[in-house]
Amino acid sequence: MTSTASLGNGTKKKSLDGLMLRYLVLIGLIVIASVGFSMANDNFYSLVNIGILLRSIAVLFLVSMGMTFIILTGGIDLSIGSNVAFSGAVGVITLTTTGSATLGFITALLAGMFIGSINGFFIGRLKLSAFMVSLATYALARGLALVLFDANSINVDNITFLWLGGVSWGNMPVVIPFVALVFVVLSIVLYKTPFGRDVYAAGANVNTAFVLGRRPERTLVWVYVLSGALAGLSAIITVGRVSSGQPWAGLYLEFDAITAVILGGTSLFGGRGRLLGTILGVLLYGIIINGLVLTGTNPYLQSLIKGLILLGVVLLDTLTQRGKTA
């Protein structure tokens, strides 16, 4: 009994040591990228650019935290970007119809959770492929957004609705403290509650989790609902940033979120990863994209670089997982 416990503790310690090493590498890469881009463009360290950088990655922070929960269960959500557009459409139309920012906020959140609940029901309850289900809702949510917007943007001038995504305290966007608060709350949920333990258990081994009475199918439903709620919040922030609802908002956002999460050390195979790694992954990814824009890099080349980063981190995660199982 003692030897088994010692082995478990040793395995856990080794896993944590591996993650800490990953985080140190990420921090080193963040420093290197920051110094490199500051040498290439003097404006990189300006307060204005730092404010732009933080505001631009605030949405990515939120949806990546939701994606972390999903990938920890061994799943994936390709509908996040489309959900941001759909939730924004519902919120903006509610706002323009009723004149109430509060109702706009609530309906945007509910719309995001609605798409998340569809994913959760089909993936968790009916045990269908997360890839195929979220691919279907990717098309569904984007189609609904285009129909609601009639493929045109809708301008928003309600100060309350625009506050979270558009206001700054000096050069500090107010959305950054908000994102930090969400990070703290989700960290408590993931590391200090039975639900968080269920998330890791579902990703480590669904069948074992079921035998132990963990009810992984219920966990999966709520994980996708959570991701949908964060997409709804992201929609509100996105509208605040550009002062309008856009039918093509969140385009390729799921791609960026998956890249940042895997870059932060969360395993595609589930059961391993932490939110801190996701934050570092988002920060590094955001710095790279911001630096490429500042240095005038060809937009098509930027897409190529994004693809190479994702390919590289997926390959790294796969090789790491094979090393663990060898």
Side-chain angles (χ1 to χ4, degrees), residues 77-80 83 114-124 130 133-138 220-221 224:
D77 187 358
L78 301 178
S79 67
I80 285 180
N83 198 0
F114 170 69
I115 297 296
S117 65
I118 294 175
N119 286 331
F121 176 76
F122 282 96
I123 296 168
V133 170
S134 62
L135 184 62
T137 50
Y138 161 87
L220 290 176
V221 172
Y224 284 93

Side-chain angles (χ1 to χ4, degrees), residues 18-36:
L19 285 174
M20 287 304 299
L21 178 60
R22 180 71 164 259
Y23 299 158
L24 290 174
V25 170
L26 283 173
I27 292 171
L29 290 175
I30 288 171
V31 172
I32 292 171
S34 300
V35 172

Side-chain angles (χ1 to χ4, degrees), residues 17-72:
D17 288 344
L19 285 174
M20 287 304 299
L21 178 60
R22 180 71 164 259
Y23 299 158
L24 290 174
V25 170
L26 283 173
I27 292 171
L29 290 175
I30 288 171
V31 172
I32 292 171
S34 300
V35 172
F37 284 123
S38 68
M39 294 173 64
N41 190 304
D42 294 337
N43 293 322
F44 182 81
Y45 278 136
S46 68
L47 292 178
V48 173
N49 184 60
I50 292 174
I52 292 173
L53 170 63
L54 292 176
R55 194 187 300 276
S56 67
I57 62 177
V59 166
L60 184 57
F61 273 133
L62 286 177
V63 297
S64 295
M65 285 189 280
M67 187 70 80
T68 301
F69 275 77
I70 289 173
I71 294 181
L72 281 173

Side-chain angles (χ1 to χ4, degrees), residues 75-114:
I76 198 165
D77 187 358
L78 301 178
S79 67
I80 285 180
S82 298
N83 198 0
V84 169
F86 169 65
S87 302
V90 172
V92 168
I93 289 175
T94 301
L95 172 69
T96 55
T97 302
T98 66
S100 171
T102 301
L103 285 177
F105 289 145
I106 293 173
T107 53
L109 283 173
L110 291 177
M113 294 172 69
F114 170 69

Side-chain angles (χ1 to χ4, degrees), residues 44 48 72 81 87 96 127 133 145 181 198 205 239 270 282 301 305:
F44 182 81
V48 173
L72 281 173
S87 302
T96 55
K127 297 179 173 56
V133 170
L181 177 61
D198 290 346
N205 191 313
V239 172
V282 170
L301 184 58
I305 293 172

